[in-house]
Amino acid sequence: MSNVPVDRAGASLDRAARLGERLERARAGDRDALDEVVRELNPLLWRVARAQGLALEEAADVVQTTWLELVRGLHTIRSSSALTAWLVTTTRRESWRVRGLTQRQTPHDAATLESSPDPDPGPAELLLSEERDRALWQHVARLPERCRALLRIVAHVDRPDYTVVAEALGMPRGSIGPTRGRCLAKLREMLAADSTWSPT
């Protein structure tokens, strides 16, 4: 029997352990430990930024901003898996902000703008969307930590690279899909049991 899956699982667990140890050292003021975290997770953050349609220079700025935000909020991160999810979420939100600025700075023909429908939802739609999101993530917060970390990553990354996600979370690559399915099934059960939940 081949032991390749076992080896991969061991490597993923080793990486999760390394991230956890480096996170604690970084909190204690060890700058080298923070540099090691950057080397481990920087490729993932680049993929996240580029997946949002940013140019290379824009992606570089976004990733740098994300690391600066981590330094400011280092003591608020609970675990190595939460660290990865936090970095992915921060990178994507900053990517949206930068992309929005770029789009606003791009000149448009006045006639085209006048004839185009307003793409933004109205206040009522925004309120309903925010309420749905808040209710959804309240249920996500009740899931086990591994489910929470995994769903936050796959929810905030277009076409996530399962190899990178597996290494970041310390999980075998082949278990990402089945684990995601089980987590989503549990989430659907929780939402179905919530009489106040409405997906629309």
Side-chain angles (χ1 to χ4, degrees), residues 19-30:
L19 283 173
E21 184 265 340
R22 289 167 183 170
L23 176 61
E24 292 304 318
R25 285 167 48 205
R27 283 173 171 161
D30 187 339

Side-chain angles (χ1 to χ4, degrees), residues 108-118:
H108 294 279
D109 179 79
T112 301
L113 290 175
E114 290 176 1
S115 62
S116 298
D118 185 356

Side-chain angles (χ1 to χ4, degrees), residues 133-198:
D133 288 348
R134 183 162 51 249
L136 174 64
W137 288 107
Q138 283 174 348
H139 283 292
V140 171
R142 294 167 53 199
L143 293 169
E145 181 179 345
R146 176 162 290 191
C147 279
R148 295 198 305 269
L150 177 57
L151 292 184
R152 285 192 179 104
I153 290 178
V154 299
H156 290 102
V157 182
D158 297 327
R159 300 178 181 177
D161 184 329
Y162 275 10
T163 299
V164 176
V165 174
E167 292 178 353
L169 296 183
M171 299 172 61
R173 187 188 188 285
S175 73
I176 296 293
T179 301
R180 175 178 177 270
R182 289 192 295 270
C183 293
L184 288 174
K186 179 61 177 176
L187 179 60
R188 280 193 293 268
E189 290 178 7
M190 294 164 63
L191 293 173
D194 184 350
S195 60
T196 66
W197 167 256
S198 173

Side-chain angles (χ1 to χ4, degrees), residues 1 3 6 27 40 46 56 71 83 94 114 127 131 142 147 159 163:
M1 180 182 295
N3 64 352
V6 176
R27 283 173 171 161
E40 286 273 354
W46 265 93
L56 284 173
V71 172
L83 167 64
E94 180 64 13
E114 290 176 1
L127 179 60
E131 290 177 348
R142 294 167 53 199
C147 279
R159 300 178 181 177
T163 299

